[in-house]
Amino acid sequence: MNEASILITLAGVHFLALMSPGPDVALVVQNATRYGRQTGVYIALGLSFGILLHSILSITGISYLVHQQPVLFALLQLCGGSYLLYLGFGALKATITHWNLSVERSSSSQKALLLSNKRQAFSRGFMTNILNPKALVFFVSLMSTLVPASMSVTGKGIALLILWSLSLAWFACLAWMLSTERLQAKLNQASRYIDLLCGVIFSLIGLTIVWQSLTSFIH
């Protein structure tokens, strides 16, 4: 298989993985619907740079070494699962706190967050992706299967660019679609339910990862 075919296959597999439900998608959905387009796009930017870092670590073999060290990988799982639990409990707390807020108060608080939340949105997106041990395993498998060690430096650079740009484009488009004026008006009415759903997703995934890490420590 030549490099062009490898890159096309890599792009296809990665794009399908991006569309699958998970913490990254839930984070974009929750924040774009509650805080608007700008916050959603900065979340997308953070996620894409997390994916870029995972890709670099995998293509250089560092992630593979981490994956081969049971204690180190279990510690990463514990950190990642704990962070997802933190996001989940935060979303559930926000649901309870804002359950009785009026639409006007909710809207004004969103505007305030929109003006001062760029760095926080980027950081949350980046940390959510980079601390996800499932992402580490995915990219180790993806790179070891589709990117041969003999691939040229230019080819590997293009592969990294493809993974980053596809990630940014997908998550930014998702944030953009969820924050159009017509859809935003409808989603604002359901924002508490979206927070509740995302909180449950984060919490369940976080609990599963923490349980797996603790189990690996015991064994």
Side-chain angles (χ1 to χ4, degrees):
M1 185 182 291
N2 58 40
E3 289 194 358
S5 300
I6 291 172
L7 293 173
I8 291 171
T9 304
L10 182 71
V13 172
H14 181 54
F15 189 66
L16 289 174
L18 286 172
M19 292 190 294
S20 63
D24 293 352
V25 172
L27 191 70
V28 174
V29 171
Q30 181 195 18
N31 286 276
T33 54
R34 177 168 285 280
Y35 302 129
R37 180 170 296 166
Q38 188 180 68
T39 299
V41 170
Y42 273 91
I43 289 281
L45 191 62
L47 289 169
S48 68
F49 273 97
I51 287 171
L52 178 61
L53 182 55
H54 267 303
S55 303
I56 292 172
L57 294 175
S58 296
I59 210 167
T60 56
I62 296 173
S63 291
Y64 176 77
L65 294 177
V66 172
H67 190 228
Q68 294 302 110
Q69 300 296 320
V71 175
L72 187 57
F73 184 65
L75 285 173
L76 176 63
Q77 283 185 305
L78 187 60
C79 291
S82 298
Y83 185 72
L84 290 176
L85 278 175
Y86 163 75
L87 293 181
F89 290 149
L92 294 175
K93 182 180 178 181
T95 303
I96 296 171
T97 302
H98 297 99
W99 193 262
N100 295 319
L101 285 181
S102 64
V103 174
E104 291 77 16
R105 289 178 62 189
S106 176
S107 177
S108 64
S109 65
Q110 288 172 13
K111 290 179 181 177
L113 283 166
L114 192 64
L115 295 173
S116 61
N117 209 31
K118 296 177 183 178
R119 184 178 298 177
Q120 183 182 358
F122 177 87
S123 299
R124 180 154 294 187
F126 180 79
M127 295 300 292
T128 298
N129 185 270
I130 202 64
L131 287 177
N132 185 356
K134 294 184 182 298
L136 183 147
V137 174
F138 170 75
F139 283 104
V140 167
S141 302
L142 186 69
M143 294 302 186
S144 62
T145 304
L146 294 179
V147 180
S150 59
M151 178 179 270
S152 67
V153 174
T154 301
K156 290 179 179 178
I158 294 173
L160 293 175
L161 180 61
I162 288 173
L163 294 172
W164 174 76
S165 58
L166 271 179
S167 304
L168 178 59
W170 165 248
F171 290 125
C173 284
L174 184 60
W176 187 276
M177 289 185 294
L178 290 170
S179 54
T180 58
E181 289 186 12
R182 180 178 296 181
L183 187 58
Q184 191 73 37
K186 295 180 180 179
L187 290 174
N188 279 339
Q189 299 174 1
S191 61
R192 64 190 66 179
Y193 301 104
I194 294 172
D195 278 345
L196 178 61
L197 178 61
C198 291
V200 170
I201 291 173
F202 287 134
S203 299
L204 287 177
I205 296 175
L207 282 171
T208 301
I209 293 174
V210 168
W211 174 255
Q212 288 174 346
S213 67
L214 293 176
T215 302
S216 63
F217 274 126
I218 294 172
H219 293 293

